[in-house]
Amino acid sequence: MGRVHIIGAGLAGLAAGVRLVESGHAVTIYESARQAGGRCRSFYDKHLERDIDNGNHLIMSGNKSALTFLDTIGSVDPLTGPPTATYPFVDVKSGKRWTVQMNEGPIPFWVFDKQWRVPDTKVWDYIKAAGIALAGSDKTVADAIDRSGVLFERFWEPLTLAVLNTTPERGQARLLWSVIRETFLLGGQASTPLVAKKGLGPAFIDPAVKYIESMGGLIRFGARLRSAWMEGGAVTSLSFADETVTLEAGDQVIFAIPPSRLKQIMPKLDPPSDDASILNVHFRIPSAAPTKALGEGPFIALTSSLGQWVFVRDDIISVTTSASDAIGADDKPNDEIVEQIWRETQIALALDMSYDRVRIIREKRATPDQSPTGAARRLKPETEYRNLFLAGDHTDTGVPATIEGSIRSGNTAAGLAMRAIA
């Protein structure tokens, strides 16, 4: 039947591998690092003396590809979240708190209820925002949404930062609309926020590796692709540091690597840049963090602040700042970052204690560019070579660079490879 060679054991590569071995195909995954997961992983931090994620990720109950992936790999009780679609907020500057709560079903009754919608907003504000559905591919979120009201500051801006990892002035409206269409527009049953209960590794990565290997797939760590040889319209060999793999008739290849790395291997390609960054600050406190401010979920959203999302897991408080490059956070020194974000965290969680230890993680290449220009440069999964396909959140999945998008891209590449084998 031919073997499928997958370059990259990030979430996209693992998703492709899972889909292929599930269908009975021979698979080898090559990963340059010593562990799988890429930007979606957990690790033991020696300074904090705790297992942490490299970054925080929200999954939505309407993310069908992600949930199917978890079910396939047998991930046990991987996610946690509130019982309904609720999003707690706090304005750090004013101290004002509110919770956006969405009803079940596709009719958004919640926007008619002052207790459920964003405070100081009116139904007309939401009706006007419906124009985002008609935005062209060249329009940003700021182009499509009225920026004069509090709805923009208290809902659209935090949503854009979280989903697109960029500001509304930069992010493509069409990409944000794709998320709204698949989640919020379908009601609370599709828009309940979920996070990994014990970490991204235990939920997504470790079970995927175990599943692939249990189904006969091979994963080679420390295998960095140096070059690929193409001849006669197909990839014929893959060169690694310690060996060259010659492809047999029927073999297929999937490149599931970031845009900057892909550009090194295939200079003719022009993917979107992948230098949109995310700042994560992990605090360890003396005891389990109070969760009253979170309601029934594991996080709270912040406005008028540097930190944007505060996640709590026992005595670890993790704060995420998306689009840290676009808002100037990448230029701030660590001590200034820690001081400001801890002050905001104390307000958000009503904390009267200090932290024991802190770890800053700056993801310099967290996501690809999701502006209209960047979105136009998203690559198709097919290439000019008949046995080479692309996966990753920089490909044209129709959704933003999220966990859902990564898994969807891996599924698509795997489907194309299976079709080529057949």
Side-chain angles (χ1 to χ4, degrees):
M1 294 178 62
R3 177 172 293 273
V4 182
H5 303 264
I6 301 173
I7 310 301
L11 203 49
L14 291 176
V18 166
R19 177 86 181 275
L20 286 160
V21 297
E22 181 187 23
S23 300
H25 292 276
V27 169
T28 300
I29 301 178
Y30 307 85
E31 168 57 47
S32 61
R34 295 295 175 180
Q35 71 284 322
R39 291 168 292 153
C40 179
R41 62 186 179 89
S42 304
F43 64 96
Y44 180 78
D45 185 89
K46 293 181 180 179
H47 178 65
L48 296 177
E49 298 181 332
R50 295 291 186 274
D51 290 318
I52 61 173
D53 295 333
N54 64 320
N56 297 302
H57 295 266
L58 273 181
I59 301 104
M60 307 286 279
S61 55
N63 291 159
K64 295 181 179 179
S65 298
L67 296 179
T68 299
F69 175 81
L70 291 172
D71 184 63
T72 300
I73 62 178
S75 190
V76 179
D77 194 24
L79 305 177
T80 185
T84 58
T86 56
Y87 292 80
F89 283 82
V90 59
D91 186 289
V92 171
K93 186 176 181 180
S94 68
K96 188 178 184 66
R97 297 177 183 272
W98 67 94
T99 298
V100 174
Q101 182 172 346
M102 301 174 186
N103 60 279
E104 300 293 310
I107 301 176
F109 293 112
W110 63 277
V111 304
F112 298 96
D113 192 323
K114 290 182 179 180
Q115 301 299 316
W116 287 12
R117 68 177 183 243
V118 176
D120 304 320
T121 62
K122 297 180 172 136
V123 175
W124 178 244
D125 296 325
Y126 298 85
I127 295 174
K128 287 192 298 182
I132 192 173
L134 304 176
S137 60
D138 62 333
K139 300 298 182 183
T140 67
V141 175
D143 291 332
I145 301 294
D146 179 14
R147 289 179 281 178
S148 61
V150 296
L151 184 62
F152 183 84
E153 177 186 344
R154 295 179 176 176
F155 183 77
W156 288 110
E157 186 171 39
L159 182 65
T160 304
L161 288 166
V163 173
L164 300 184
N165 190 33
T166 192
T167 63
E169 292 74 22
R170 295 187 182 188
Q172 190 195 47
R174 182 171 289 182
L175 277 177
L176 185 62
W177 169 246
S178 70
V179 172
I180 296 171
R181 185 182 63 242
E182 295 186 6
T183 55
F184 297 114
L185 200 64
L186 300 180
Q189 70 272 16
S191 52
T192 300
L194 304 168
V195 299
K197 181 181 291 187
K198 297 180 180 179
L200 297 170
F204 287 90
I205 307 306
D206 301 341
V209 170
K210 183 177 179 180
Y211 178 82
I212 290 169
E213 292 179 335
S214 72
M215 299 290 284
L218 305 175
I219 303 181
R220 293 185 49 195
F221 295 109
R224 181 178 177 83
L225 181 68
R226 287 184 168 181
S227 62
W229 183 259
M230 287 77 166
E231 187 175 0
V235 180
T236 56
S237 65
L238 302 168
S239 177
F240 300 91
D242 57 350
E243 70 169 326
T244 295
V245 176
T246 300
L247 273 61
E248 305 292 338
D251 283 3
Q252 310 296 317
V253 180
I254 295 175
F255 282 172
I257 51 181
S260 54
R261 181 75 183 116
L262 182 62
K263 184 75 173 175
Q264 294 174 353
I265 303 298
M266 303 183 70
K268 290 192 299 182
L269 295 180
D270 186 31
S273 61
D274 59 351
D275 54 1
S277 57
I278 295 178
L279 170 69
N280 298 286
V281 184
H282 303 273
F283 298 99
R284 195 189 80 177
I285 59 176
S287 59
T291 59
K292 182 179 179 180
L294 310 180
E296 298 184 84
F299 70 89
I300 185 170
L302 280 58
T303 62
S304 303
S305 57
L306 177 60
Q308 298 160 2
W309 297 86
V310 175
F311 296 80
V312 172
R313 186 185 297 146
D314 299 323
D315 61 350
I316 294 294
I317 300 172
S318 299
V319 186
T320 291
T321 298
S322 297
S324 56
D325 58 316
I327 65 174
D330 285 356
D331 300 325
K332 291 190 175 185
N334 284 354
D335 56 352
E336 184 179 333
I337 290 285
V338 169
E339 180 181 359
Q340 181 174 348
I341 287 185
W342 179 246
R343 188 167 58 249
E344 295 167 352
T345 301
Q346 287 181 303
I347 294 172
L349 299 181
L351 278 173
D352 60 358
M353 65 177 73
S354 186
Y355 60 87
D356 287 337
R357 301 181 183 185
V358 61
R359 168 70 69 194
I360 291 182
I361 298 178
R362 296 179 183 266
E363 298 180 86
K364 292 295 188 180
R365 296 186 179 275
T367 63
D369 176 17
Q370 300 189 88
S371 69
T373 301
R377 292 169 60 186
R378 281 183 148 199
L379 301 174
K380 297 297 181 183
E382 303 94 338
T383 71
E384 62 180 299
Y385 304 102
R386 60 180 177 271
N387 65 342
L388 174 62
F389 309 98
L390 305 178
D393 55 16
H394 59 279
T395 60
D396 190 12
T397 61
V399 295
T402 56
I403 285 178
E404 175 72 7
S406 294
I407 293 174
R408 195 175 295 190
S409 76
N411 291 342
T412 298
L416 291 169
M418 287 189 285
R419 187 188 309 170
I421 291 173

